[in-house]
Amino acid sequence: MANDGDTGNPDEDNARPSMWGGRFSQPTAEFVARFTASVDVDRRLYHHDIQGSIAHANALEAAGVLSADDRDAIVRGLVAIRTEIERGEFRWDPALEDVHMNIEARLTELVGEAGKRLHTGRSRNDQVATDVRLWLRDRLDEVEQRLTDLMARLVDLASEHTETVMPGLTHLQTAQPVTFAHHLMAWFEMACRDRERFRDCRRRVNVSPLGSAALAGTTFPIDRHAVAAELGFDAASANSLDVVSDRDFAIEFCAAASLAAVHLSRWCEELVLWTSPQWGFVTLPDAYCTGSSIMPQKKNPDVAELIRGKSGRLIGNLNALLVLMKGQPLAYNRDNQEDKPPLFDSADALCDCLEAMSGIVAAIEPDPKAMRAAAEVGFAVATDFADYLVRRGVPFRDAHEIVGRAVALAVERGISLAEIPFDDLARLSDRIGEDVYDAITLDGAVAARDHFGGTAPAAVRAAIETARHRL
Ligand code: ARG
């Protein structure tokens, strides 16, 4: 099999540029070298590649496979390479295919023989799986922090608006009044579940492949559990074939990221509606909007629209990884090199979207007057009217019918339910008393839903209190 050069045999590594020259009588075709190279993408893994290599060198030394001097030379070389890379002084060579072989080749240039011993008992198959897991673990920690930050900002904004009444919608039509805080706390709940999904994903990401080598394990007595512990992994993987091949952990991340992106997209859809002059519920900070090159009055919610748009990329990336995986027999196949562009892109896009959303939530300016005015139209209190009748003994279905007729009357006259004179209401049902007007105010309607999970200011204040502890 061409290019399957990772046998764990230390003698296979010839001098630059080819790592598998021994078996081959022809050099790699130029096109094939370009087609198979991944260094432009996977060089992002350099930090974690070096981290993994240092742990592997330590394990080889502990197993008596490497001398302490060789191990020290390797570690010194790897640290020097990290500095070169971070200073932009490292020469990435596409002829060396990927990040792993670029770093290893440079290591050998820097420390000689010892560098050639590093790949003992290891393959790029367990190496790349390790790198990606370490990399993703860091990104997951970043996502956790960004999500928590966003959740904190939602709670802060909500705590200022427990009395702000807005129309609650179903089918985008006026349904029942809700508090703005309750709406924001709905977003908070979605974010909280997203964070749980990422935390859960992290548990399965945080497993060490090292020691699995190409597919079957290694003949060297590496303490796999010690390597795992050194790298902060919770465990060593239980099956070498599985861990070098499956990318389900990356797929899980992309799935959780897609869901989070879908949530952000929904919120942004609402922001786009709310910021239009027809709604005017909120104003976005100028710093988060852009203007139009032709229409001087425009202040467009582009950032919100882009967040909504990015969800498409994230869903696409998830799909790409699922399809990438589905046809693969055990164990490692080169298909898996294609896992990185979608994975990296999803992590980048998600982090950007979270940052953008936090910025928006921190600086958003709600207009409680506009929200209340919007809640006044569309008969948002009709259910409260019906509930009033039920409390006076009318079966709900009959109450529904009576209020329906009241709404028709109000529509005909172009007034609200509360503006219908009492005599007209009394004609609809003898159960209606003058106190009905108290039951059908916006504030009365929200205050009446005072239970766990409800929209009443008191209930939402309690939810906010609990939410602060969940941060
Ligand atoms: N660049 C490869 C990847 O990302 C590394 C593993 C290559 N292994 C191999 N046997 N060709 O998957």
Side-chain angles (χ1 to χ4, degrees):
M1 270 202 271
N3 274 13
D4 195 73
D6 294 291
T7 58
N9 175 355
D11 296 331
E12 73 165 351
D13 291 342
N14 292 331
R16 244 172 147 166
S18 171
M19 291 276 176
W20 47 78
R23 157 88 178 72
F24 285 65
S25 52
Q26 274 188 334
T28 312
E30 214 173 292
F31 166 77
V32 173
R34 186 163 58 77
F35 188 67
T36 55
S38 58
V39 68
D40 283 346
V41 172
D42 61 27
R43 53 195 272 187
R44 282 185 74 172
L45 296 172
Y46 81 90
H47 179 86
H48 302 95
D49 191 69
I50 289 172
Q51 192 185 355
S53 287
I54 290 175
H56 181 65
N58 287 335
L60 289 175
E61 194 268 340
V65 179
L66 265 188
S67 70
D69 282 352
D70 279 351
R71 190 268 317 271
D72 292 347
I74 287 171
V75 172
R76 209 178 333 109
L78 289 170
V79 170
I81 290 169
R82 187 163 58 205
T83 307
E84 285 180 0
I85 295 172
E86 280 162 6
R87 288 191 182 147
E89 291 162 3
F90 190 89
R91 192 177 64 87
W92 295 101
D93 182 0
L96 290 168
E97 261 194 39
D98 54 25
V99 61
H100 323 294
M101 295 205 289
N102 267 268
I103 290 176
E104 193 186 321
R106 178 68 182 139
L107 179 68
T108 302
E109 270 178 11
L110 286 177
V111 305
E113 277 278 311
K116 292 204 220 168
R117 297 189 195 279
L118 171 63
H119 211 49
T120 311
R122 185 177 73 171
S123 154
R124 279 185 297 156
N125 298 350
D126 59 344
Q127 185 177 3
V128 71
T130 302
D131 293 3
V132 175
R133 283 170 184 270
L134 288 172
W135 180 88
L136 186 54
R137 186 178 72 186
D138 279 353
R139 294 313 297 265
L140 277 162
D141 292 343
E142 183 185 344
V143 168
E144 159 97 20
Q145 192 249 307
R146 286 184 189 278
L147 256 176
T148 304
D149 182 64
L150 173 56
M151 288 158 67
R153 289 175 187 213
L154 284 173
V155 170
D156 285 345
L157 185 59
S159 65
E160 291 166 26
H161 291 282
T162 53
E163 316 279 334
T164 303
V165 175
M166 69 189 291
L169 312 176
T170 61
H171 314 269
L172 210 66
Q173 309 292 316
T174 303
Q176 291 170 354
V178 295
T179 53
F180 184 44
H182 195 50
H183 194 114
L184 292 169
M185 292 307 288
W187 292 5
F188 174 91
E189 290 299 330
M190 299 177 207
C192 202
R193 287 193 300 278
D194 288 328
R195 197 176 59 170
E196 277 173 33
R197 269 185 283 272
F198 287 117
R199 285 177 180 173
D200 192 46
C201 170
R202 192 187 190 283
R203 289 194 303 119
R204 283 178 291 277
V205 167
N206 203 27
V207 170
S208 175
L210 279 180
S212 300
L215 75 165
T218 171
T219 57
F220 298 98
I222 291 170
D223 182 345
R224 297 195 59 228
H225 303 292
V227 189
E230 178 174 342
L231 290 169
F233 284 120
D234 295 327
S237 58
N239 184 292
S240 62
L241 291 169
D242 169 44
V243 80
V244 293
S245 67
D246 207 345
R247 296 293 182 263
D248 58 353
F249 67 92
I251 296 174
E252 274 190 55
F253 173 79
C254 286
S258 296
L259 265 173
V262 165
H263 286 153
L264 293 172
S265 177
R266 295 181 62 201
W267 310 357
C268 285
E269 170 70 11
E270 296 188 321
L271 286 169
V272 170
L273 292 171
W274 292 349
T275 51
S276 77
Q278 286 73 16
W279 294 58
F281 286 7
V282 300
T283 309
L284 291 179
D286 282 358
Y288 275 77
C289 293
T290 57
S292 158
S293 58
I294 177 170
M295 297 168 282
Q297 86 284 9
K298 289 303 283 289
K299 180 175 158 184
N300 294 327
D302 298 46
V303 176
E305 293 167 86
L306 268 171
I307 296 174
R308 190 176 60 188
K310 298 260 186 207
S311 60
R313 290 168 80 117
L314 279 112
I315 295 165
N317 289 337
L318 168 62
N319 197 45
L321 285 190
L322 284 166
V323 178
L324 176 69
M325 205 67 240
K326 84 172 274 291
Q328 290 194 46
L330 286 174
Y332 177 84
N333 303 282
R334 192 62 174 268
D335 313 41
N336 277 344
Q337 183 164 290
E338 288 292 314
D339 65 352
K340 283 166 228 47
L343 177 63
F344 291 175
D345 187 63
S346 281
D348 291 345
L350 177 68
C351 286
D352 281 352
C353 289
L354 290 171
E355 179 172 348
M357 197 72 215
S358 280
I360 288 176
V361 173
I364 203 173
E365 283 170 32
D367 183 344
K369 277 209 186 79
M371 291 187 189
R372 180 172 283 270
E376 295 285 5
V377 294
F379 312 105
V381 293
T383 314
D384 297 87
F385 195 159
D387 288 353
Y388 165 88
L389 288 170
V390 168
R391 283 193 295 275
R392 303 200 131 212
V394 181
F396 183 76
R397 277 293 149 231
D398 294 341
H400 190 287
E401 169 70 23
I402 292 163
V403 178
R405 278 191 266 128
V407 169
L409 194 68
V411 170
E412 197 185 294
R413 296 186 192 171
I415 56 177
S416 71
L417 285 174
E419 285 164 344
I420 302 175
F422 180 66
D423 287 350
D424 293 322
L425 288 180
R427 265 195 290 280
L428 294 174
S429 164
D430 59 5
R431 305 290 175 88
I432 299 176
E434 303 243 19
D435 58 351
V436 69
Y437 293 104
D438 301 330
I440 58 172
T441 64
L442 292 177
D443 296 296
V446 293
R449 290 166 174 82
D450 190 12
H451 56 78
F452 179 74
T455 195
V460 179
R461 273 193 296 273
I464 288 171
E465 200 41 44
T466 314
R468 288 199 194 280
H469 295 293
R470 288 157 75 192
L471 288 173

PDB file of all heavy atoms in Angstrom, residues 36-56:
ATOM      1  N   THR A  36      -1.560  15.294  -1.730  1.00  0.00           N
ATOM      2  CA  THR A  36      -1.599  14.624  -0.420  1.00  0.00           C
ATOM      3  C   THR A  36      -1.120  15.521   0.722  1.00  0.00           C
ATOM      4  O   THR A  36      -1.361  15.210   1.880  1.00  0.00           O
ATOM      5  CB  THR A  36      -0.725  13.348  -0.436  1.00  0.00           C
ATOM      6  OG1 THR A  36       0.589  13.705  -0.855  1.00  0.00           O
ATOM      7  CG2 THR A  36      -1.291  12.293  -1.356  1.00  0.00           C
ATOM      8  N   ALA A  37      -0.480  16.635   0.377  1.00  0.00           N
ATOM      9  CA  ALA A  37       0.043  17.509   1.428  1.00  0.00           C
ATOM     10  C   ALA A  37      -1.094  18.151   2.210  1.00  0.00           C
ATOM     11  O   ALA A  37      -2.125  18.511   1.656  1.00  0.00           O
ATOM     12  CB  ALA A  37       0.938  18.584   0.821  1.00  0.00           C
ATOM     13  N   SER A  38      -0.889  18.261   3.512  1.00  0.00           N
ATOM     14  CA  SER A  38      -1.918  18.884   4.352  1.00  0.00           C
ATOM     15  C   SER A  38      -1.334  19.950   5.264  1.00  0.00           C
ATOM     16  O   SER A  38      -2.024  20.504   6.106  1.00  0.00           O
ATOM     17  CB  SER A  38      -2.608  17.818   5.206  1.00  0.00           C
ATOM     18  OG  SER A  38      -1.638  17.151   6.010  1.00  0.00           O
ATOM     19  N   VAL A  39      -0.040  20.237   5.058  1.00  0.00           N
ATOM     20  CA  VAL A  39       0.634  21.094   6.038  1.00  0.00           C
ATOM     21  C   VAL A  39       0.034  22.496   6.113  1.00  0.00           C
ATOM     22  O   VAL A  39       0.028  23.110   7.170  1.00  0.00           O
ATOM     23  CB  VAL A  39       2.161  21.132   5.769  1.00  0.00           C
ATOM     24  CG1 VAL A  39       2.480  21.860   4.470  1.00  0.00           C
ATOM     25  CG2 VAL A  39       2.893  21.738   6.949  1.00  0.00           C
ATOM     26  N   ASP A  40      -0.502  22.987   4.997  1.00  0.00           N
ATOM     27  CA  ASP A  40      -1.090  24.325   5.047  1.00  0.00           C
ATOM     28  C   ASP A  40      -2.251  24.390   6.032  1.00  0.00           C
ATOM     29  O   ASP A  40      -2.551  25.434   6.591  1.00  0.00           O
ATOM     30  CB  ASP A  40      -1.578  24.763   3.655  1.00  0.00           C
ATOM     31  CG  ASP A  40      -0.402  25.187   2.773  1.00  0.00           C
ATOM     32  OD1 ASP A  40       0.702  25.386   3.332  1.00  0.00           O
ATOM     33  OD2 ASP A  40      -0.597  25.311   1.548  1.00  0.00           O
ATOM     34  N   VAL A  41      -2.919  23.260   6.205  1.00  0.00           N
ATOM     35  CA  VAL A  41      -4.050  23.214   7.126  1.00  0.00           C
ATOM     36  C   VAL A  41      -3.614  22.738   8.513  1.00  0.00           C
ATOM     37  O   VAL A  41      -3.916  23.367   9.523  1.00  0.00           O
ATOM     38  CB  VAL A  41      -5.154  22.281   6.575  1.00  0.00           C
ATOM     39  CG1 VAL A  41      -6.249  22.064   7.607  1.00  0.00           C
ATOM     40  CG2 VAL A  41      -5.729  22.844   5.285  1.00  0.00           C
ATOM     41  N   ASP A  42      -2.847  21.622   8.545  1.00  0.00           N
ATOM     42  CA  ASP A  42      -2.627  21.006   9.865  1.00  0.00           C
ATOM     43  C   ASP A  42      -1.467  21.627  10.644  1.00  0.00           C
ATOM     44  O   ASP A  42      -1.235  21.258  11.802  1.00  0.00           O
ATOM     45  CB  ASP A  42      -2.522  19.481   9.775  1.00  0.00           C
ATOM     46  CG  ASP A  42      -1.371  18.984   8.916  1.00  0.00           C
ATOM     47  OD1 ASP A  42      -0.366  19.703   8.790  1.00  0.00           O
ATOM     48  OD2 ASP A  42      -1.472  17.862   8.388  1.00  0.00           O
ATOM     49  N   ARG A  43      -0.756  22.608  10.036  1.00  0.00           N
ATOM     50  CA  ARG A  43       0.288  23.275  10.821  1.00  0.00           C
ATOM     51  C   ARG A  43      -0.299  23.949  12.056  1.00  0.00           C
ATOM     52  O   ARG A  43       0.407  24.213  13.027  1.00  0.00           O
ATOM     53  CB  ARG A  43       1.062  24.282   9.959  1.00  0.00           C
ATOM     54  CG  ARG A  43       0.165  25.278   9.258  1.00  0.00           C
ATOM     55  CD  ARG A  43       0.897  25.992   8.168  1.00  0.00           C
ATOM     56  NE  ARG A  43       1.570  27.179   8.705  1.00  0.00           N
ATOM     57  CZ  ARG A  43       2.188  28.076   7.945  1.00  0.00           C
ATOM     58  NH1 ARG A  43       2.276  27.908   6.639  1.00  0.00           N
ATOM     59  NH2 ARG A  43       2.747  29.132   8.482  1.00  0.00           N
ATOM     60  N   ARG A  44      -1.590  24.203  12.025  1.00  0.00           N
ATOM     61  CA  ARG A  44      -2.246  24.772  13.210  1.00  0.00           C
ATOM     62  C   ARG A  44      -2.120  23.858  14.424  1.00  0.00           C
ATOM     63  O   ARG A  44      -2.370  24.277  15.541  1.00  0.00           O
ATOM     64  CB  ARG A  44      -3.736  24.962  12.939  1.00  0.00           C
ATOM     65  CG  ARG A  44      -4.037  26.169  12.119  1.00  0.00           C
ATOM     66  CD  ARG A  44      -5.526  26.362  12.003  1.00  0.00           C
ATOM     67  NE  ARG A  44      -6.126  26.860  13.222  1.00  0.00           N
ATOM     68  CZ  ARG A  44      -7.383  27.255  13.299  1.00  0.00           C
ATOM     69  NH1 ARG A  44      -8.151  27.200  12.230  1.00  0.00           N
ATOM     70  NH2 ARG A  44      -7.879  27.685  14.436  1.00  0.00           N
ATOM     71  N   LEU A  45      -1.802  22.582  14.163  1.00  0.00           N
ATOM     72  CA  LEU A  45      -1.696  21.635  15.278  1.00  0.00           C
ATOM     73  C   LEU A  45      -0.309  21.631  15.928  1.00  0.00           C
ATOM     74  O   LEU A  45      -0.047  20.829  16.816  1.00  0.00           O
ATOM     75  CB  LEU A  45      -2.004  20.214  14.776  1.00  0.00           C
ATOM     76  CG  LEU A  45      -3.423  19.958  14.249  1.00  0.00           C
ATOM     77  CD1 LEU A  45      -3.492  18.577  13.610  1.00  0.00           C
ATOM     78  CD2 LEU A  45      -4.438  20.067  15.384  1.00  0.00           C
ATOM     79  N   TYR A  46       0.573  22.529  15.452  1.00  0.00           N
ATOM     80  CA  TYR A  46       1.981  22.417  15.867  1.00  0.00           C
ATOM     81  C   TYR A  46       2.158  22.353  17.387  1.00  0.00           C
ATOM     82  O   TYR A  46       2.936  21.566  17.903  1.00  0.00           O
ATOM     83  CB  TYR A  46       2.802  23.593  15.287  1.00  0.00           C
ATOM     84  CG  TYR A  46       2.676  24.860  16.085  1.00  0.00           C
ATOM     85  CD1 TYR A  46       3.551  25.138  17.135  1.00  0.00           C
ATOM     86  CD2 TYR A  46       1.669  25.784  15.823  1.00  0.00           C
ATOM     87  CE1 TYR A  46       3.410  26.287  17.895  1.00  0.00           C
ATOM     88  CE2 TYR A  46       1.523  26.924  16.579  1.00  0.00           C
ATOM     89  CZ  TYR A  46       2.399  27.173  17.616  1.00  0.00           C
ATOM     90  OH  TYR A  46       2.249  28.295  18.380  1.00  0.00           O
ATOM     91  N   HIS A  47       1.421  23.212  18.086  1.00  0.00           N
ATOM     92  CA  HIS A  47       1.600  23.285  19.541  1.00  0.00           C
ATOM     93  C   HIS A  47       1.272  21.937  20.193  1.00  0.00           C
ATOM     94  O   HIS A  47       2.000  21.441  21.053  1.00  0.00           O
ATOM     95  CB  HIS A  47       0.692  24.387  20.101  1.00  0.00           C
ATOM     96  CG  HIS A  47       0.770  24.529  21.588  1.00  0.00           C
ATOM     97  ND1 HIS A  47       1.709  25.306  22.215  1.00  0.00           N
ATOM     98  CD2 HIS A  47       0.040  23.949  22.576  1.00  0.00           C
ATOM     99  CE1 HIS A  47       1.552  25.209  23.528  1.00  0.00           C
ATOM    100  NE2 HIS A  47       0.549  24.401  23.780  1.00  0.00           N
ATOM    101  N   HIS A  48       0.175  21.349  19.740  1.00  0.00           N
ATOM    102  CA  HIS A  48      -0.275  20.092  20.337  1.00  0.00           C
ATOM    103  C   HIS A  48       0.553  18.916  19.835  1.00  0.00           C
ATOM    104  O   HIS A  48       0.729  17.921  20.539  1.00  0.00           O
ATOM    105  CB  HIS A  48      -1.770  19.921  20.081  1.00  0.00           C
ATOM    106  CG  HIS A  48      -2.553  21.075  20.645  1.00  0.00           C
ATOM    107  ND1 HIS A  48      -2.911  22.168  19.884  1.00  0.00           N
ATOM    108  CD2 HIS A  48      -2.961  21.324  21.911  1.00  0.00           C
ATOM    109  CE1 HIS A  48      -3.538  23.047  20.667  1.00  0.00           C
ATOM    110  NE2 HIS A  48      -3.576  22.567  21.887  1.00  0.00           N
ATOM    111  N   ASP A  49       1.073  19.042  18.620  1.00  0.00           N
ATOM    112  CA  ASP A  49       1.963  18.003  18.095  1.00  0.00           C
ATOM    113  C   ASP A  49       3.222  17.935  18.963  1.00  0.00           C
ATOM    114  O   ASP A  49       3.684  16.840  19.335  1.00  0.00           O
ATOM    115  CB  ASP A  49       2.329  18.317  16.634  1.00  0.00           C
ATOM    116  CG  ASP A  49       3.014  17.144  15.957  1.00  0.00           C
ATOM    117  OD1 ASP A  49       2.335  16.127  15.718  1.00  0.00           O
ATOM    118  OD2 ASP A  49       4.238  17.224  15.722  1.00  0.00           O
ATOM    119  N   ILE A  50       3.743  19.106  19.301  1.00  0.00           N
ATOM    120  CA  ILE A  50       4.954  19.157  20.132  1.00  0.00           C
ATOM    121  C   ILE A  50       4.651  18.672  21.549  1.00  0.00           C
ATOM    122  O   ILE A  50       5.420  17.893  22.145  1.00  0.00           O
ATOM    123  CB  ILE A  50       5.542  20.596  20.113  1.00  0.00           C
ATOM    124  CG1 ILE A  50       6.151  20.855  18.721  1.00  0.00           C
ATOM    125  CG2 ILE A  50       6.560  20.807  21.238  1.00  0.00           C
ATOM    126  CD1 ILE A  50       6.598  22.268  18.459  1.00  0.00           C
ATOM    127  N   GLN A  51       3.517  19.081  22.068  1.00  0.00           N
ATOM    128  CA  GLN A  51       3.088  18.629  23.405  1.00  0.00           C
ATOM    129  C   GLN A  51       3.022  17.093  23.444  1.00  0.00           C
ATOM    130  O   GLN A  51       3.540  16.455  24.365  1.00  0.00           O
ATOM    131  CB  GLN A  51       1.698  19.240  23.665  1.00  0.00           C
ATOM    132  CG  GLN A  51       1.174  19.143  25.072  1.00  0.00           C
ATOM    133  CD  GLN A  51      -0.272  19.690  25.162  1.00  0.00           C
ATOM    134  OE1 GLN A  51      -0.827  20.209  24.188  1.00  0.00           O
ATOM    135  NE2 GLN A  51      -0.855  19.554  26.339  1.00  0.00           N
ATOM    136  N   GLY A  52       2.406  16.512  22.419  1.00  0.00           N
ATOM    137  CA  GLY A  52       2.281  15.050  22.349  1.00  0.00           C
ATOM    138  C   GLY A  52       3.631  14.379  22.182  1.00  0.00           C
ATOM    139  O   GLY A  52       3.895  13.322  22.788  1.00  0.00           O
ATOM    140  N   SER A  53       4.503  14.988  21.374  1.00  0.00           N
ATOM    141  CA  SER A  53       5.820  14.389  21.136  1.00  0.00           C
ATOM    142  C   SER A  53       6.671  14.403  22.399  1.00  0.00           C
ATOM    143  O   SER A  53       7.429  13.455  22.659  1.00  0.00           O
ATOM    144  CB  SER A  53       6.549  15.133  20.007  1.00  0.00           C
ATOM    145  OG  SER A  53       5.951  14.802  18.772  1.00  0.00           O
ATOM    146  N   ILE A  54       6.564  15.460  23.175  1.00  0.00           N
ATOM    147  CA  ILE A  54       7.341  15.518  24.428  1.00  0.00           C
ATOM    148  C   ILE A  54       6.875  14.398  25.365  1.00  0.00           C
ATOM    149  O   ILE A  54       7.689  13.680  25.963  1.00  0.00           O
ATOM    150  CB  ILE A  54       7.219  16.914  25.086  1.00  0.00           C
ATOM    151  CG1 ILE A  54       7.975  17.943  24.228  1.00  0.00           C
ATOM    152  CG2 ILE A  54       7.749  16.893  26.527  1.00  0.00           C
ATOM    153  CD1 ILE A  54       7.841  19.392  24.689  1.00  0.00           C
ATOM    154  N   ALA A  55       5.567  14.223  25.469  1.00  0.00           N
ATOM    155  CA  ALA A  55       5.041  13.157  26.343  1.00  0.00           C
ATOM    156  C   ALA A  55       5.479  11.788  25.831  1.00  0.00           C
ATOM    157  O   ALA A  55       5.832  10.891  26.611  1.00  0.00           O
ATOM    158  CB  ALA A  55       3.512  13.242  26.414  1.00  0.00           C
ATOM    159  N   HIS A  56       5.467  11.613  24.501  1.00  0.00           N
ATOM    160  CA  HIS A  56       5.886  10.335  23.918  1.00  0.00           C
ATOM    161  C   HIS A  56       7.366  10.084  24.190  1.00  0.00           C
ATOM    162  O   HIS A  56       7.761   8.957  24.539  1.00  0.00           O
ATOM    163  CB  HIS A  56       5.584  10.332  22.419  1.00  0.00           C
ATOM    164  CG  HIS A  56       5.965   9.047  21.741  1.00  0.00           C
ATOM    165  ND1 HIS A  56       5.359   7.840  22.034  1.00  0.00           N
ATOM    166  CD2 HIS A  56       6.907   8.778  20.785  1.00  0.00           C
ATOM    167  CE1 HIS A  56       5.908   6.876  21.293  1.00  0.00           C
ATOM    168  NE2 HIS A  56       6.851   7.420  20.535  1.00  0.00           N
TER     169      HIS A  56
END
